[in-house]
Amino acid sequence: QVQLIESGGGLVQAGGSLRLSCAASGRTFSSYAMGWFRQVTGKEREFVATISWSGRTTLYADSVKGRFTISRDNAKNTVYLQMNSLKPEDTAVYYCALDSSPYTTYEIGEYDYWGQGTQVTVSS
C-alpha cells in the first residue's frame, strides 16, 4: 500500500513563497511519475504540475508556469513543489499523487494514490 504525506502548507502573504513536500512510502518511488493537484472547496480538483520518474520531464498548468517548480529526490522518496510569487488565487488544498507509470500526465484519472492534502492560504 502506498502512503503519501504532504507537508509545508500554511499562510503566506501575496508575493511570498512556500515549499511543499510529499514523502512517499510503500512502493519503489523512483519508478513512478508524481503530480501535484489543488482543490478549492466547491470546485473540481485541478492539475498543477507533474514530474517523470527520472525528473527530466515536467509539465505545469498555465496558471502556475514560471512561478512554481516541481522537483524530486528519489533517494529520499520525496517530491517537492516550490511556489514563488504566490497569489490569492493560489489558495487551495494541495495534494500530491502517484501515477503508476513512469511518465508525466495531467490527467487526474491516471493517478492511483493520493495524499491527504495540505492547506495553502495566500492573503492579499
Side-chain angles (χ1 to χ4, degrees), residues 20-24 29 34 71-80:
L20 306 183
S21 300
C22 173
F29 175 79
M34 297 292 296
S71 62
R72 65 191 296 160
D73 184 337
N74 286 342
K76 295 182 178 180
N77 285 3
T78 302
V79 63
Y80 304 98

Side-chain angles (χ1 to χ4, degrees), residues 81-115:
L81 186 68
Q82 178 67 44
M83 306 186 294
N84 298 329
S85 302
L86 282 160
K87 304 175 182 180
E89 50 264 44
D90 295 317
T91 295
V93 177
Y94 283 71
Y95 298 89
C96 73
L98 182 146
D99 174 12
S100 293
S101 90
Y103 308 111
T104 55
T105 177
Y106 54 81
E107 297 286 351
I108 192 170
E110 297 294 316
Y111 289 84
D112 301 296
Y113 298 95
W114 294 82

Side-chain angles (χ1 to χ4, degrees), residues 35-101:
W36 285 97
F37 292 76
R38 66 187 182 187
Q39 188 169 23
V40 176
T41 303
K43 295 189 177 181
E44 290 189 353
R45 194 169 297 187
E46 65 174 10
F47 167 75
V48 174
T50 180
I51 188 166
S52 64
W53 68 276
S54 65
R56 285 195 286 266
T57 302
T58 57
L59 295 174
Y60 296 93
D62 287 344
S63 59
V64 306
K65 205 172 291 184
R67 300 187 298 121
F68 291 11
T69 302
I70 188 171
S71 62
R72 65 191 296 160
D73 184 337
N74 286 342
K76 295 182 178 180
N77 285 3
T78 302
V79 63
Y80 304 98
L81 186 68
Q82 178 67 44
M83 306 186 294
N84 298 329
S85 302
L86 282 160
K87 304 175 182 180
E89 50 264 44
D90 295 317
T91 295
V93 177
Y94 283 71
Y95 298 89
C96 73
L98 182 146
D99 174 12
S100 293
S101 90

